[in-house]
Structures are given as structure tokens and as C-alpha cells.
Amino acid sequence: MTVFLIILAIALVVAAIAVPITYYNRLVKARNRVDQADSDIDVQLKRRWDLIPNLIESVKGYMKHEKETLDSVVKARSAAMNASAGTNEARQAENMLSDALKSLFALAENYPDLKASQNYMQLQEELVDTEDKIQAARRLYNSSLRQYIDQTQLFPSNIFAGMFGFKVTGEYFEVAEAESGPVKVEF
């Protein structure tokens, strides 16, 4: 009987050590997935920022009368680059940049020579591809954040999350009001 109690005591001690370690490691992995997903968004945004000056240069010669649109793209790009990553200000700036690019592409429809330009078409395709990658990265971020939130709020992992100081600091990416409706194209 004493051997049984000793084995039981050892098993309880091992479980008492292993369970918190397991939950701690799961929480760390979940938090790291959120951080990685957030970083992936930044990588795609940087790619978009790098493509925009080339697009502007290829468009300038064709759209001499559309200086206001070109200026709004440049201004929105600067605001997006200067905004603190992960803040509401950054999200608003990125939404403004997306809107400015949509306006630029809509105006390009008025310039058949521009649309036929190989350089412009390649840049437009790269920007569209980058926009798709940004959306995919944001979906991955939202999914990773949801999993992390679940792990910090669901029983019994919420006990260990509180004990080890895990807190959710991120926010979901949501569609901005300006992007939720149809795009207005005015000529």
C-alpha cells in the first residue's frame, strides 16, 4: 500500500509540474503566432509602399492633368509609412492608401496608352497581388489572435494565462467604413 501511495504522490507531483508547463508553452506559442502574423502584415505593407513610387513614376507622364490624385497617393503612402505599426492611426492610414490606389486605378481607365504600358500593367498586377497578400496576412492575424484570445479566456487555460501574466493586447483587423461600400468612381 505504501508503494502505491508513493507512486501516486510522484505522479501528482509530476502532473503538478507538467500541466502548468504545458499550458505556459501553448500560450507562448499562441502569442508568438499573433506576433508573427502581425509582422507578416508589416512585410506586405512595406512591399506595397515600395511599389507605389514606381507606379507613380510610370503614371506621371500619362496623367499630367491628374496631379491631385497622384498627390493623394503620395500623401497617403507617407502617412501610412509614418504611422506607428499596429495602432488605429496606422490602420486608418492604410485604409486611406487603399482608397487612394483605387482612385488611381479607376482614373487609369481614362488613359488607353497608360493601360497598354507594360511597366504600368506589371506594377498594377504586383500591387493587386500585394493587396491580396495583405488581406491573407490580415486573415491569418485575425485567426491567430482569436486562438490566442480563446486560450487566454477559456477554462482551464485562463487560470494559467492569468497566473503567468498573458494578456491580449491586439485588436482584430476590420473593414473600415469607407471600404465597406461600393467604390465610387467619378470622372
Side-chain angles (χ1 to χ4, degrees), residues 31-101:
R31 182 182 60 201
N32 290 344
R33 274 192 300 272
V34 171
D35 291 344
Q36 178 188 2
D38 191 34
S39 178
D40 289 347
I41 293 169
D42 291 341
V43 167
Q44 294 306 323
L45 292 175
K46 170 97 171 76
R47 180 174 183 236
R48 179 170 67 174
W49 299 340
D50 291 346
L51 288 170
I52 289 171
N54 295 330
L55 179 69
I56 295 295
E57 286 304 313
S58 70
V59 169
K60 266 186 186 175
Y62 294 96
M63 298 176 115
K64 292 181 173 122
H65 305 292
E66 309 295 351
K67 185 169 178 10
E68 185 179 311
T69 302
L70 295 175
D71 288 344
S72 71
V73 172
V74 170
K75 203 179 300 182
R77 176 185 179 262
S78 293
M81 289 177 66
N82 293 327
S84 300
T87 63
N88 282 335
E89 173 193 2
R91 290 178 184 180
Q92 289 173 351
E94 289 300 333
N95 290 336
M96 282 178 30
L97 180 55
S98 293
D99 290 343
L101 286 171

Side-chain angles (χ1 to χ4, degrees), residues 125-167:
E125 286 175 20
E126 285 186 46
L127 274 169
V128 167
D129 180 54
T130 301
E131 291 295 328
D132 290 342
K133 288 178 180 177
I134 289 169
Q135 294 308 317
R138 286 177 175 168
R139 284 191 302 273
L140 177 64
Y141 172 83
N142 282 348
S143 174
S144 298
L145 182 61
R146 182 196 46 80
Q147 290 174 356
Y148 181 56
I149 289 170
D150 287 349
Q151 288 189 14
T152 59
Q153 293 179 350
L154 294 175
F155 182 80
S157 62
N158 65 337
I159 295 169
F160 296 103
M163 188 167 50
F164 293 124
F166 285 88
K167 292 180 179 30

